[in-house]
Amino acid sequence: MSPGSDANAPAGGARTERGRTHRHKAARATRVGDGTYRAGFACFVGRPNAGKSTLTNAIIGQKIAITSNKPQTTRHVIRGVLHREDAQLVLVDTPGLHRPRTLLGERLNDLVRETWSEVDVIGVCFPADEPVGAGDRFISTEIAELKATVVAVVTKVDLVPPAVLAERLLAVSKLYDFADIVPVSAVSGHQVDTLVDVIVGHLPESPPLYPDDVLTEEPEQVLIGELIREAALEGVRDELPHSIAVLVDEMLVEGNLTKIYANVYVERSSQKSIVIGAGGARLKDVGIRARAEIEALLGRRVYLDLHVRIAKEWQRDPKQLRRLGF
Ligand SMILES: Nc1nc2c(ncn2[C@@H]2O[C@H](COP(=O)(O)OP(=O)(O)OP(=O)(O)O)[C@@H](O)[C@H]2O)c(=O)[nH]1
């Protein structure tokens, strides 16, 4: 995808062409309306098969999945960033909560709650074609404890007649005092824009969390940042568990070569030395490994320019830093 493709998308978009067209439409046509810029994180939770991934893809418009062999090192796996004139919505994957049967299960659930507590909005998904069950009730009691705004999403509404949908909406409304209940179909596109509006409306007032240049509509940049972060943490996870954030500054396409300029942010100068290594050897190695992964992702040759910086130079707001996983 080139930056030009968005400019060429038909104004207003088409239901059958979600994805970039969908974003284009969102950027033009929808506003929460109070003139404030909002940015934040949201995730979809719910029992298996509830339609979480399909919904995420319908909103972001690309099939993306970052697979990490050590997922516990990344608190959030970013699935994509939706940019609008008035907002930036970062959709993340969070681990699922299960009914605990063991102490380990309980500890894992504590971790999940901690992760959930870092997002601004949680969308609990209930598939319209299945009755509300014990798993849904369990999730709903757990989220009651969190500070995030909790929205119910009744998914797959294209699969049921209106009377069944009405029944589900009623059952869901009895589970918990949700901030909103939105019926959607990720497959037909029904109400996907409305859901985005509702979520954005619950995000905090905040400047954009990710850079807003011409290419930022590409979730690729975020994925690339994650790949670099993974490579930079390899072998030094004990020393720098959550102390690295990566932001891709610029991507330039020159023929079949993509030049990527990225900054690796650390908290302290001692961490900077760890990432760079003796005589720059480690950073060079990080660059080689990250480049191979990025080339596999993009299917193009890549030139990768990495700079290690101390976060204070870049962003002093502790809240923003926390949001990036510091
Ligand atoms: N008809 C219809 N099918 C849908 C819709 N959304 C999802 N599905 C289907 O439901 C199934 C499950 O969807 P996923 O998005 O994988 O569900 P998930 O919640 O991410 O599932 P897990 O990864 O198991 O937790 C898939 O076969 C989807 O194609 C929808 O809006 N309408």
Side-chain angles (χ1 to χ4, degrees), residues 46-55 125 155-159 184-188:
R47 58 171 130 130
N49 229 29
K52 304 177 289 289
S53 311
T54 315
L55 187 57
C125 295
T155 58
K156 311 189 195 182
V157 300
D158 56 293
L159 292 180
V184 299
S185 167
V187 165
S188 76

Side-chain angles (χ1 to χ4, degrees), residues 31 123 197 256 293 295 319:
R31 273 183 160 269
D197 277 348
N256 67 349
E293 296 277 336
E295 285 184 339
K319 205 169 150 199

Side-chain angles (χ1 to χ4, degrees), residues 29-182:
T30 50
R31 273 183 160 269
V32 172
D34 57 6
T36 45
Y37 190 93
R38 298 174 186 279
F41 292 91
C43 68
F44 294 117
V45 303
R47 58 171 130 130
N49 229 29
K52 304 177 289 289
S53 311
T54 315
L55 187 57
T56 303
N57 291 336
I59 291 173
I60 300 298
Q62 248 190 22
K63 294 207 167 188
I64 310 160
I66 309 175
T67 48
S68 162
N69 53 352
K70 291 160 187 142
Q72 71 277 14
T73 58
T74 317
R75 282 192 247 181
H76 299 316
V77 175
I78 295 168
R79 293 295 302 272
V81 183
L82 182 78
H83 296 269
R84 309 202 322 187
E85 270 171 39
D86 59 339
Q88 191 177 65
L89 169 63
V90 185
L91 285 180
V92 299
D93 271 347
T94 58
L97 195 65
H98 304 282
R99 263 181 289 177
R101 296 198 168 81
T102 61
L103 185 61
L104 177 65
E106 279 174 33
R107 296 254 162 90
L108 285 174
N109 279 348
D110 286 346
L111 269 178
V112 174
R113 278 187 212 101
E114 199 180 306
T115 315
W116 282 7
S117 69
E118 288 170 14
V119 299
D120 303 295
V121 179
I122 297 177
V124 188
C125 295
F126 302 93
D129 61 334
E130 288 171 39
V132 168
D136 298 321
R137 275 190 285 275
F138 174 71
I139 291 176
S140 302
T141 19
E142 290 296 321
I143 47 179
E145 318 265 310
L146 300 173
K147 67 177 184 334
T149 303
V150 184
V151 171
V153 186
V154 176
T155 58
K156 311 189 195 182
V157 300
D158 56 293
L159 292 180
V160 296
V164 174
L165 177 59
E167 215 174 275
R168 294 287 181 268
L169 291 172
L170 186 65
V172 166
S173 71
K174 285 181 180 160
L175 280 180
Y176 177 71
D177 187 18
F178 293 105
D180 281 288
I181 303 182
V182 187

Side-chain angles (χ1 to χ4, degrees), residues 206-209 314-315 317-326:
S206 159
L209 302 167
W314 159 72
Q315 186 58 270
D317 179 359
K319 205 169 150 199
Q320 301 277 340
L321 290 176
R322 248 197 330 274
R323 284 162 173 268
L324 281 168
F326 277 78

Side-chain angles (χ1 to χ4, degrees), residues 109-314:
N109 279 348
D110 286 346
L111 269 178
V112 174
R113 278 187 212 101
E114 199 180 306
T115 315
W116 282 7
S117 69
E118 288 170 14
V119 299
D120 303 295
V121 179
I122 297 177
V124 188
C125 295
F126 302 93
D129 61 334
E130 288 171 39
V132 168
D136 298 321
R137 275 190 285 275
F138 174 71
I139 291 176
S140 302
T141 19
E142 290 296 321
I143 47 179
E145 318 265 310
L146 300 173
K147 67 177 184 334
T149 303
V150 184
V151 171
V153 186
V154 176
T155 58
K156 311 189 195 182
V157 300
D158 56 293
L159 292 180
V160 296
V164 174
L165 177 59
E167 215 174 275
R168 294 287 181 268
L169 291 172
L170 186 65
V172 166
S173 71
K174 285 181 180 160
L175 280 180
Y176 177 71
D177 187 18
F178 293 105
D180 281 288
I181 303 182
V182 187
V184 299
S185 167
V187 165
S188 76
H190 177 67
Q191 292 246 107
V192 172
D193 287 349
T194 308
L195 177 63
V196 171
D197 277 348
V198 165
I199 293 174
V200 163
H202 292 299
L203 295 180
E205 253 184 81
S206 159
L209 302 167
Y210 290 90
D212 188 21
D213 61 27
V214 74
L215 272 175
T216 50
E217 284 205 329
E218 309 281 48
E220 279 167 3
Q221 280 202 359
V222 178
L223 290 178
I224 289 165
E226 287 286 312
L227 292 174
I228 297 168
R229 183 171 184 273
E230 275 293 306
L233 278 174
E234 195 67 50
V236 294
R237 286 170 204 277
D238 294 342
E239 289 140 285
L240 311 169
H242 290 296
S243 311
I244 295 184
V246 176
L247 288 182
V248 173
D249 228 21
E250 203 173 6
M251 276 174 71
L252 301 171
V253 178
E254 290 179 6
N256 67 349
L257 179 72
T258 302
K259 290 186 170 177
I260 299 172
Y261 298 85
N263 288 319
V264 178
Y265 292 100
V266 293
E267 288 172 300
R268 290 187 289 279
S269 58
S270 59
Q271 295 169 337
K272 188 170 170 177
S273 318
I274 294 173
V275 174
I276 294 176
R282 198 172 168 277
L283 186 62
K284 192 173 164 202
D285 198 46
V286 167
I288 292 169
R289 275 182 291 121
R291 197 186 66 204
E293 296 277 336
I294 298 165
E295 285 184 339
L297 174 80
L298 300 180
R300 291 193 295 269
R301 275 201 310 127
V302 163
Y303 164 85
L304 180 61
D305 181 275
L306 291 180
H307 275 272
V308 184
R309 298 184 195 281
I310 295 171
K312 270 177 283 184
E313 294 167 17
W314 159 72

